[in-house]
Amino acid sequence: MTENVKLLINGEFTESSASQWQEVRNPATQEVLARVPMCGSDEVAQAVAAAKAAFPAWRATPIAERARVFLRLQALIREHMDTLAATLTREQGKTLADAKGDVFRGLEVVEHACSVGSLQMGEFAENVAGGVDTYAIRQPLGVCAGITPFNFPAMIPLWMFPMACVTGNTFVLKPSEQDPMTPMLLAQLAQQAGLPKGVLNVVHGGVDAVNALCDHPDIKAISFVGSVGVGTHVYRRGSEHGKRVQAMLGAKNHAVFLPDANKEQTLNALVGAAFGAAGQRCMAISVAVLVGKARDWIPEIVARAQTLKVSAGHEAGADLGPLINRQALARVEKLIGQGVEEGAKLELDGRNPAVVGYPDGNFVGPTIFSGVKAGMQVYEQEIFGPVLCIVEVDTLDEAIAFVNANPYGNGTALFTQSGAAARRFQHDIDVGQVGINVPIPVPVPFFSFTGSRGSKLGDLGPYGKEVIRFYTQTKTVTARWFDDEATAGPVNTTISLR
Ligand code: NAD
């Protein structure tokens, strides 16, 4: 019997009454793992109603008590790490080690949520006028919603609901319909950790569920992570309905290589960041900009990429697993074909790899193009597959100008031994997250995820310090107290406080 993925509404894991369902498949085998309901506005409304009803009591729950739920959740996630990673690999395809990384980067956010007591503090100014104090307090918004992509089914839900709930909001999560089983395990653990009923709710589906969240008058804020097209739609539609919206979008991340870089470290970092998770990371390096003599490294980059093992994510020694679905496979193969037609040099062709034991998997092996130019589709599009484009330039200045001319601003990296070059790069590069000899510079949660330009709509990041501001509103109180002996002066008709 194929499992039906449940909804979580008001603390109950319930069967959906949706008329449409979609299969969740193992992308390495096409085995059907589960069926996921495509919820409509009625089930979204039930989830929102449960979240709205839970809000007054949760908001009034002492801050340390809220934090303790997340202390228990972080312990439960550690305890269930193997089950979470195995489920994630089965439905998403990435290797088991990478699946654990996916869970771990989310776990770090849960740990950060535990210190909300010092994160959600307000401000106080004494004696702003005679005997008058002003203070600002950060209060939760109410019901918030999260819409998440397929590529990090543990980390990205964990970016959202722990920070939203620990600050006193209640939440409706709509995970990707392509891998909803991992988020449901996390939701179970959150219930087990003691999150009161209705504080976290989960619905499933696609367009209809997402539009219902954007339109619902009781939702105050939406956090979205996914592609540019869908994120722009959610940003516009949610904003039109008066909500705060933040949208983390697609990317094309460049890494720049100076010839003085530590070659061994650098080439390993490049190959791992370009092909890990089959390139299905928003921070994957998809463009390598080789400066000057670093262009001589192309044969070694190809040689290292050839050593990577393509297989099902649970297989020992697998370096990269399959793409998420058949459409993604067809799209990536088509873009590789287009790259050849447009004149890029195909240094390594990963199409149709022989993967022993998995003839039906959505596999593409590491693929490398050199001679890539702006304007080619392999450069202009976010391929979201294991395809690395190599661009060659003569100077660091040229490299910086090339990166800055790209519309995306999620992540970038520079590889060098020169502090002066690194200082110039970090100052002049117009990208929100910069690695210096670090290929995938995703910040730890005491900072914030700070992708910029075409990779983001809204001004605040999805976790870390910035998200405390996203999930709270500031109330400013100006107060004066009179003791019994105070006498009234003349009536004051001006606006000044004296
Ligand atoms: P996607 O945009 O297709 O899906 C994201 C969410 O939107 C899912 O929950 C999906 O159900 C929903 N959705 C899909 N189509 C929709 C539609 N037409 N109308 C309304 N909702 C719809 O993204 P994806 O393919 O799941 O994820 C990959 C994308 O996410 C890549 O572009 C990647 O760069 C991006 N991403 C960005 C970040 C970041 O932090 N910037 C992180 C991870 C992934």
Side-chain angles (χ1 to χ4, degrees), residues 246 248 448-450 456 459-464 466-468 470:
Q246 56 170 202
M248 308 306 131
S448 293
F449 189 92
T450 52
K456 181 187 198 176
D459 60 339
L460 297 172
Y463 64 75
E466 289 189 359
V467 94
I468 300 280
F470 182 76

Side-chain angles (χ1 to χ4, degrees), residues 256-453:
V256 175
F257 299 86
L258 297 187
D260 70 348
N262 177 319
K263 196 164 99 183
E264 291 303 306
Q265 292 280 348
T266 296
L267 296 187
N268 275 351
L270 167 59
V271 166
F275 305 119
Q280 298 174 115
R281 291 179 181 142
C282 68
M283 289 287 281
I285 292 178
S286 47
V287 185
V289 183
L290 304 183
V291 180
K293 298 277 294 166
R295 40 165 67 90
D296 297 345
W297 297 350
I298 293 175
E300 282 176 79
I301 297 170
V302 172
R304 271 172 217 236
Q306 279 171 321
T307 66
L308 297 182
K309 181 175 169 186
V310 182
S311 191
H314 66 273
E315 288 288 352
D319 293 301
L320 58 152
L323 296 172
I324 187 69
N325 58 36
R326 289 282 191 212
Q327 294 93 305
L329 176 67
R331 183 177 164 277
V332 171
E333 287 178 341
K334 185 171 168 212
L335 275 161
I336 296 172
Q338 253 175 303
V340 175
E341 282 164 26
E342 289 178 326
K345 183 174 174 204
L346 188 54
E347 302 270 0
L348 181 63
D349 186 354
R351 287 174 292 185
N352 305 310
V355 182
V356 179
Y358 299 93
D360 298 323
N362 310 323
F363 294 104
V364 177
T367 298
I368 299 176
F369 281 109
S370 65
V372 172
K373 304 267 184 276
M376 293 178 175
Q377 285 309 301
V378 280
Y379 180 73
E380 297 299 328
Q381 296 212 23
E382 180 185 36
I383 299 177
F384 227 53
V387 182
L388 176 67
C389 294
I390 296 179
V391 173
E392 294 157 54
V393 298
D394 293 326
T395 64
L396 177 59
D397 283 345
E398 244 184 279
I400 291 172
F402 188 82
V403 177
N404 287 350
N406 188 283
Y408 292 109
N410 219 31
T412 188
L414 176 72
F415 289 84
T416 183
Q417 301 278 44
S418 159
R423 173 68 178 69
R424 179 138 118 259
F425 186 79
Q426 78 182 33
H427 187 261
D428 290 346
I429 206 76
D430 193 5
V431 173
Q433 303 178 104
V434 179
I436 306 291
N437 298 311
V438 171
I440 303 192
V442 175
V444 290
F446 357 111
F447 292 87
S448 293
F449 189 92
T450 52
S452 64
R453 294 199 284 137

Side-chain angles (χ1 to χ4, degrees), residues 147-151 156 159 174-178 205-207 210 224-227 230 233 248-251 282 382 384 410 449 455:
I147 300 163
T148 58
F150 80 82
N151 65 329
I156 294 180
W159 281 1
K174 204 302 288 171
S176 172
E177 70 282 21
Q178 303 194 71
V207 185
V210 166
F224 172 90
V225 179
S227 62
V230 179
H233 165 77
M248 308 306 131
L249 308 174
C282 68
E382 180 185 36
F384 227 53
N410 219 31
F449 189 92
S455 295

